[in-house]
Amino acid sequence: MTKADIVEKIHQKIGFSKKESAEMVETVFSILKSTLEDGEKIKIAGFGNFVVKRKADRRGRNPQTGETITIDARRILTFKPSQVLKNAINSVAKEAK
């Protein structure tokens, strides 16, 4: 599903114009992005948690030369689905069988 698909679904279900729907989607994603850039956690009830975690420097190896290198510290984004979302996904998977 793309951003355009989300805009279309909002347009169909709520009845906003496509322009209003697009602005709404852009605003939501902008808020989510800036919150995550600031390192804050996002908890969406019934959906899940987005968390920015820090990874420390670590040793790695260049597979071509075998040379030991240092992989710089970085931040990664993780998503943990809520139990409600897990149950919904699994109930659909059971029905498909």
Side-chain angles (χ1 to χ4, degrees), residues 4-48:
D5 294 333
I6 295 170
V7 168
E8 183 62 32
K9 293 246 185 209
I10 291 172
H11 169 68
Q12 291 172 352
K13 289 193 181 228
I14 299 177
F16 290 159
S17 71
K18 286 192 179 183
K19 183 178 179 186
E20 289 172 324
S21 299
E23 288 173 2
M24 183 185 305
V25 169
E26 286 298 329
T27 301
V28 169
F29 282 131
S30 175
I31 292 168
L32 293 173
K33 182 180 172 190
S34 64
T35 301
L36 292 168
E37 284 173 347
D38 293 341
E40 296 179 49
K41 178 192 274 191
I42 296 176
K43 296 176 105 177
I44 303 172
F47 189 73

Side-chain angles (χ1 to χ4, degrees), residues 17-93:
S17 71
K18 286 192 179 183
K19 183 178 179 186
E20 289 172 324
S21 299
E23 288 173 2
M24 183 185 305
V25 169
E26 286 298 329
T27 301
V28 169
F29 282 131
S30 175
I31 292 168
L32 293 173
K33 182 180 172 190
S34 64
T35 301
L36 292 168
E37 284 173 347
D38 293 341
E40 296 179 49
K41 178 192 274 191
I42 296 176
K43 296 176 105 177
I44 303 172
F47 189 73
N49 298 325
F50 293 91
V51 181
V52 177
K53 294 184 178 181
R54 296 191 178 276
K55 290 190 114 185
D57 284 346
R58 60 191 174 101
R59 286 187 306 175
R61 188 174 308 267
N62 180 332
Q64 291 180 337
T65 65
E67 174 188 2
T68 300
I69 58 172
T70 300
I71 299 171
D72 294 333
R74 60 194 171 126
R75 297 189 315 169
I76 60 166
L77 177 63
T78 61
F79 174 73
K80 183 175 181 192
S82 72
Q83 197 60 46
V84 173
L85 180 58
K86 285 181 186 178
N87 291 341
I89 290 169
N90 286 321
S91 68
V92 170

